[in-house]
Structure formats: C-alpha cells, structure tokens
C-alpha cells in the first residue's frame, strides 16, 4: 500500500521543485528487488536506513492481528482497485509515515504516522506544510 501513497506524493514533485523542496523516501530495507520495484511509483531520491535510526527508538509496529482490522482491508482493497500491489518480502510490520521537515530550527512542519497499514497522508496537508518552509539564507 506504500506504493499507492508514493505515487500520490510523487504527483506533487513539480510543485515541490518549484518551491525548492526535495522529495525523499527513507526505507528500512532493500530485500531482493524491493527498491527497484518501488522506483516506478516514487520519483524522488530513496535512501535505505538499515539501522532504522529514522524510525526512532520505539518502532511502531502492527502485528499479524492488524490484518483483522476493517480499515486495513478497506485500505488494501482501495490500493488493489487502483492497480497497486505490494510484496511479501522482508519485515512488513513496521508502520511508516510522512514528514515535512524544514531547515534549521523549523523542524517538523507535518508529521503523519500510519495508524494502520495503508493509512495515507492527505497530499493537500503536505503542500500546505511545504509552503510554510522558510528557506535558509
């Protein structure tokens, strides 16, 4: 389901470039051809955080019981109907997120942490946060 969100965020790339803001993904692993398979859906730079520092000291996970949640199945069906497929490789229980981080002391301007698999950020919220970034001189 992250591929669906990656494609939606990638659709913002022209506006982000106009504002001078890069689009970057931080992923936790690269099993097999995982990143290569992800690239068609994400137009920004992709970095692998093998030590999972970016994921914080308390990694947020949703165990196997997460699959019985109605919202997860609704998100899965939405992504599947849109033509997005995932994979069953690697560690798939760590929840992700989307952050807009400003330079210097601006810090985090938007923080969206998945509450369940497929819980996507609103791209309008991303653009709103990006427009608050004050360039460093």
């Amino acid at each position: 389901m992250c591929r669906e969100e990656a494609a939606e965020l990638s659709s913002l790339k022209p506006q982000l470039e106009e504002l001078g803001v890069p689009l970057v993904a931080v992923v936790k692993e690269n099993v097999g051809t995982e990143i290569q398979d992800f690239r068609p859906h994400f137009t920004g730079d992709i970095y692998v955080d093998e030590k999972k520092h970016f994921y914080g000291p308390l990694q947020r996970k949703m165990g196997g019981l997460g699959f019985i949640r109605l919202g997860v199945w609704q998100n899965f069906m939405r992504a599947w109907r849109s033509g997005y497929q995932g994979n069953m490789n690697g560690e798939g229980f760590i929840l992700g997120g989307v952050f807009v981080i400003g330079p210097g002391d601006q810090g985090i301007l938007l923080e969206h942490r998945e509450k369940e698999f497929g819980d996507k950020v609103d791209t309008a919220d991303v653009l709103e946060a990006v427009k608050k970034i004050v360039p460093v001189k």
Side-chain angles (χ1 to χ4, degrees):
M1 289 180 270
C2 64
R3 293 176 183 186
E4 178 186 25
E5 185 169 42
E8 290 178 8
L9 290 169
S10 291
S11 75
L12 301 177
K13 191 163 185 190
Q15 291 125 303
L16 298 177
E17 286 178 341
E18 188 175 300
L19 295 166
V21 176
L23 179 62
V24 174
V26 178
V27 299
K28 64 187 178 301
E29 61 192 357
N30 183 20
V31 177
T33 60
E34 204 166 32
I35 290 180
Q36 180 182 337
D37 297 341
F38 184 67
R39 284 203 189 280
H41 308 283
F42 190 76
T43 58
D45 292 330
I46 302 172
Y47 298 93
V48 180
D49 179 13
E50 292 173 355
K51 294 184 179 180
K52 298 181 186 75
H53 290 295
F54 192 76
Y55 290 81
L58 300 174
Q59 294 175 6
R60 298 169 323 100
K61 293 185 177 188
M62 178 173 279
L65 292 178
F67 290 108
I68 64 171
R69 295 177 75 157
L70 177 61
V72 171
W73 283 103
Q74 289 171 329
N75 293 338
F76 172 77
M77 292 304 295
R78 179 198 66 233
W80 182 72
R81 283 190 196 114
S82 297
Y84 294 97
Q85 297 177 13
N87 66 44
M88 300 305 285
N89 300 330
E91 199 293 312
F93 293 106
I94 294 178
L95 294 168
V98 173
F99 296 86
V100 174
I101 303 172
D105 292 337
Q106 285 185 319
I108 298 172
L109 301 171
L110 175 105
E111 178 177 355
H112 171 81
R113 293 177 182 256
E114 267 186 318
K115 294 173 187 68
E116 60 188 15
F117 301 128
D119 175 27
K120 300 185 307 179
V121 69
D122 185 330
T123 55
D125 292 345
V126 172
L127 274 180
E128 183 180 321
V130 166
K131 290 176 181 174
K132 293 178 184 176
I133 292 176
V134 179
V136 175
K137 295 179 181 181

